[in-house]
Amino acid sequence: MAAQQLRAQTEPPSPRAQEPNWQQEFERAWELGRRGVPLPQDPDWKALFQRKPFERNLLQSPNPEGVNISEPAPRLPPRSPQGQLESLGNFSGWTISTEEVPPQADKKPGSKAQRFRWCIKEQQVDLLAEGLWEELLDSYQPNITVMDWYEDSQLAEVVYQLHVKLLAADGQTALGEFHHQGPEAAAVPEKKNWWHVSHVFHGYGPGVRYVHFQHRTLDAETPGGFRCTRATDSSVSVQLRD
């Protein structure tokens, strides 16, 4: 016993696991030097590495209603009650509102007995809070990609709108915009009644700090029940250029 105690006192302590060089880990993952990306000032490289600011979907709850583009968009049963949208899934991060459509705005034949409204869902992404940095956004200006899928519910000629803005530090001033509505007359759905829309912002200039993402889907109250247009797999992501 005494010999064991002596050895324990004289043996050097086992080396402790060294903390990784987080700047090197981040460089290895994203090759900032090769791409000519300006580095942030006084960064917390460990937090930056763990945040994974590139290629990640920056929207919360991108599939809030749980529908899947690999299957046809599910139909509500006839005469289904119209409930609060938030009760149908996980809408964390989304601000939800509605806007009534004046009757004369609908041109679909035989729809006089129907009442239409837009269901508006939106999020504002704080790019700095998501791990990006000012030097990167102002000088290098990485690509900012937005994508969405929506159902061709055939409730009207236009059943979906997408409005995306790149905003300055005040959260109000638009430095870039993209707008889309559909379905387009000459297009065809890409997956089982689902339509895809995407856009890449590039060369947008300095000052961008937020991305405001808003999509609007058409709902209808009909004699046969409530019908809605669904959207899913919404995304905002940032990519470094090769």
Side-chain angles (χ1 to χ4, degrees):
M1 179 66 69
Q4 292 177 352
Q5 292 177 342
L6 180 61
R7 284 198 302 271
Q9 293 174 357
T10 57
E11 289 178 355
S14 58
R16 301 176 65 180
Q18 293 185 350
E19 185 83 0
N21 185 317
W22 292 107
Q23 181 175 358
Q24 290 182 0
E25 292 295 319
F26 196 82
E27 172 64 30
R28 185 177 296 113
W30 301 110
E31 299 181 325
L32 305 184
R34 178 181 68 82
R35 291 184 163 103
V37 177
L39 301 182
Q41 297 182 8
D42 302 321
D44 181 340
W45 287 106
K46 180 178 180 179
L48 198 60
F49 179 81
Q50 294 174 337
R51 196 64 175 151
K52 296 180 173 62
F54 306 114
E55 308 292 344
R56 176 171 60 88
N57 189 356
L58 305 180
L59 290 179
Q60 299 182 53
S61 311
N63 188 6
E65 296 178 68
V67 292
N68 191 330
I69 62 172
S70 65
E71 300 294 336
R75 296 291 183 184
L76 292 173
R79 302 187 182 279
S80 60
Q82 179 182 352
Q84 291 293 322
L85 185 61
E86 293 90 333
S87 67
L88 302 178
N90 176 16
F91 288 84
S92 300
W94 293 99
T95 298
I96 303 172
S97 60
T98 59
E99 178 182 303
E100 296 296 326
V101 178
Q104 65 271 18
D106 176 61
K107 299 180 181 179
K108 189 175 180 62
S111 60
K112 294 181 179 179
Q114 303 183 36
R115 294 179 57 191
F116 292 88
R117 71 174 191 180
W118 289 108
C119 178
I120 305 165
K121 299 187 287 294
E122 53 195 324
Q123 290 191 42
Q124 188 150 302
V125 177
D126 184 335
L127 296 174
L128 299 184
E130 294 295 341
L132 304 167
W133 56 94
E134 293 181 353
E135 298 85 354
L136 169 79
L137 294 169
D138 292 344
S139 177
Y140 180 80
Q141 298 171 26
N143 291 342
I144 299 175
T145 301
V146 296
M147 292 193 293
D148 208 10
W149 292 84
Y150 64 95
E151 172 191 11
D152 181 9
S153 60
Q154 301 182 0
L155 294 176
E157 293 181 4
V158 174
V159 299
Y160 170 90
Q161 296 178 358
L162 176 64
H163 305 287
V164 183
K165 294 182 180 181
L166 306 184
L167 302 178
D170 61 4
Q172 300 292 329
T173 304
L175 302 177
E177 299 185 34
F178 172 71
H179 305 279
H180 173 88
Q181 66 178 20
E184 298 175 345
V188 293
E190 296 190 26
K191 286 189 176 184
K192 298 184 179 181
N193 212 40
W194 290 101
W195 300 64
H196 181 240
V197 56
S198 65
H199 178 74
V200 180
F201 291 97
H202 57 86
Y204 39 79
V208 172
R209 298 293 181 266
Y210 298 91
V211 179
H212 187 268
F213 181 101
Q214 180 197 91
H215 62 204
R216 302 158 63 96
T217 52
L218 194 67
D219 296 342
E221 293 183 43
T222 74
F226 179 73
R227 296 184 61 193
C228 63
T229 304
R230 296 169 177 86
T232 189
D233 288 348
S234 311
S235 70
V236 172
S237 60
V238 175
Q239 297 83 33
L240 297 174
R241 301 184 302 274
D242 287 324

